Amino acid sequence: MSDPTGGPGNSPLIVNNGRPEHVRKSIDDSLRRLGTDHVDLDQLHRA
């Protein structure tokens, strides 16, 4: 499973942010939404 992190996306609520605390929160939020406990690859976009 792959998950993009840090990019602007299509939402004004999503900002470019490659800070470690943001990346951790982003991955944790994605895991909850996806109903899984791991990500094989996280892609940091435009940090």
Side-chain angles (χ1 to χ4, degrees):
M1 180 173 300
S2 172
D3 183 50
T5 300
N10 293 322
S11 170
L13 301 175
I14 301 173
V15 297
N16 290 337
N17 190 342
R19 298 182 68 118
E21 59 273 12
H22 173 77
V23 173
R24 280 190 290 271
K25 182 178 182 331
S26 177
I27 292 173
D28 287 343
D29 291 347
S30 292
L31 292 173
R32 272 192 292 284
R33 279 194 310 274
L34 296 168
T36 189
D37 63 354
H38 73 280
V39 171
D40 296 314
L41 173 68
D42 184 72
Q43 300 171 316
L44 181 60
H45 293 276
R46 298 183 188 181

